[in-house]
Amino acid sequence: MTANATRIDGDTLVLGDGVRVRFVRTLRLPESGTHRLPPGLGTFPLRRVEDYPDTVPEQWRAKGGVMLPVYLREAMWLSFAGSPEPTALQIGVGKVCAVSGEKWTGKLSRRPQNYVVLPRQPWLDGINSGKGTVRQFVAVPLGMGATVEGQVTGEETVGGLQLQAFPLNPKLRAAWREEQRRLAEERARRRAASPRPSYGGYGGPPPMPMAAPAGPPPAGAAMGIGAGGTMRQEVYQDERASRDWSDTPEARVFVHLVTPPEWRRITGEEPPPSPADRAAYTRAGLPWYDYDDPDGTDLAPSDALADVKPVGEWLGDDLDPWTPPAPWQVKPLGPPPPPPGAPVADGDW
């Protein structure tokens, strides 16, 4: 285990100097059809595992990291807004790469690419399982075979999410930072008197009134990531040379998924309300999103991830009502402009 430069800043996970990750609550998509980008409905709260040594499971203490509360079949996406420094970010779901479908190695690979490139990739909503599309991250209990981990590896022993950040190599990183310093000085000289409007991003409006829970798994059950509905989203190909990246990660973290009853038991806090009523959201005329980066090149889909079955195969039909958004509700988005907390302990995983 190496030194870890991971910390929590509010509900943002900060890895090293260049990566800021928020875990965003969202509307769960139907498992049939291809859909637009669902909205953000607020962030999941984050807590350090090491702050609850007497109440977290022993194996969690060994892995370290952070935890967040999530309901059965709740969907999420990962936002990388505020991550301007070039970074290769690996994302694992039960230590299966969400980009390549390969088992977690902890090393960067280009054939197939097993990471996303920041800041080019503004967010990731799911596993890379189709051409120009992803399958939504959806929380499910371990032990049923419904997780991506279980379907790809044949075992469900890890669960959660894993993140690992590789910066540019030292020479390129120093050159990039010097160029950013020069550009910042130039912008400061040219800045107009009136403030520039801020980028709203893929955040969505305030949360809608919440629907009744779908029924969480039993307290204490471990949670992992399954595949939900399909949406239009590209996972961008790395345009840098492999040698541009550092050989060693700057930071990594294990993200434990906690059922609401376990969150209450471990932290003594109330979990967030259950997920929003998606039909009511759309009927209210609130926005969905479409994103286009014409300069980016989409990665080929992973064969292993393309074969992953949706969680409904195990949990039954999705009974929540669905109302598709009208064309005028879909808001186009473009690439965003570039934009202290307590350290998080790492462990053996």
Side-chain angles (χ1 to χ4, degrees), residues 127-160:
I127 60 173
N128 176 34
S129 58
K131 184 175 177 57
T133 64
V134 301
R135 299 269 300 287
Q136 197 171 36
F137 293 134
V138 176
V140 290
L142 301 187
M144 301 177 62
T147 62
V148 175
E149 173 190 356
Q151 295 186 60
V152 171
T153 71
E155 298 180 328
E156 291 184 317
T157 60
V158 180

Side-chain angles (χ1 to χ4, degrees), residues 325-337:
W328 59 265
Q329 287 179 263
V330 180
K331 310 298 182 185
L333 299 174

Side-chain angles (χ1 to χ4, degrees), residues 5-224:
T6 303
R7 59 197 184 278
I8 292 176
D9 184 2
D11 288 341
T12 299
L13 193 60
V14 184
L15 288 83
D17 294 330
V19 178
R20 299 178 66 84
V21 182
R22 293 182 305 128
F23 301 87
V24 185
R25 307 185 78 193
T26 190
L27 301 176
R28 187 175 72 250
L29 298 174
E31 293 176 359
S32 60
T34 301
H35 305 275
R36 305 289 185 172
L37 301 180
L41 299 176
T43 54
F44 290 92
L46 295 174
R47 299 291 182 268
R48 302 189 310 166
V49 167
E50 65 203 84
D51 291 334
Y52 303 91
D54 297 329
T55 52
V56 297
E58 182 178 351
Q59 60 270 33
W60 291 16
R61 295 199 301 272
K63 293 176 180 177
V66 300
M67 56 186 171
L68 63 84
V70 63
Y71 288 84
L72 173 65
R73 244 179 176 172
E74 185 171 8
M76 70 168 68
W77 52 274
L78 277 55
S79 168
F80 311 127
S83 302
E85 188 162 307
T87 303
L89 180 67
Q90 291 183 315
I91 302 162
V93 289
K95 294 182 73 172
V96 171
C97 178
V99 176
S100 69
E102 302 286 328
K103 291 185 179 181
W104 181 274
T105 64
K107 299 291 185 182
L108 297 182
S109 169
R110 293 293 283 271
R111 293 189 178 87
Q113 182 176 314
N114 66 351
Y115 56 94
V116 297
V117 181
L118 309 185
R120 164 52 60 79
Q121 193 80 39
W123 44 67
L124 187 67
D125 287 61
I127 60 173
N128 176 34
S129 58
K131 184 175 177 57
T133 64
V134 301
R135 299 269 300 287
Q136 197 171 36
F137 293 134
V138 176
V140 290
L142 301 187
M144 301 177 62
T147 62
V148 175
E149 173 190 356
Q151 295 186 60
V152 171
T153 71
E155 298 180 328
E156 291 184 317
T157 60
V158 180
L161 289 146
Q162 299 78 40
L163 303 174
Q164 185 160 255
F166 290 77
L168 292 172
N169 68 48
K171 182 178 179 180
L172 285 182
R173 194 179 199 188
W176 183 88
R177 288 179 169 180
E178 175 59 26
E179 176 66 7
Q180 295 307 301
R181 184 194 63 77
R182 185 190 65 78
L183 291 174
E185 291 179 351
E186 184 176 318
R187 285 194 298 269
R189 289 194 296 268
R190 297 181 178 180
R191 187 175 294 119
S194 58
R196 188 171 53 183
S198 63
Y199 176 76
Y202 178 18
M208 286 288 292
M210 298 298 168
M223 299 283 280

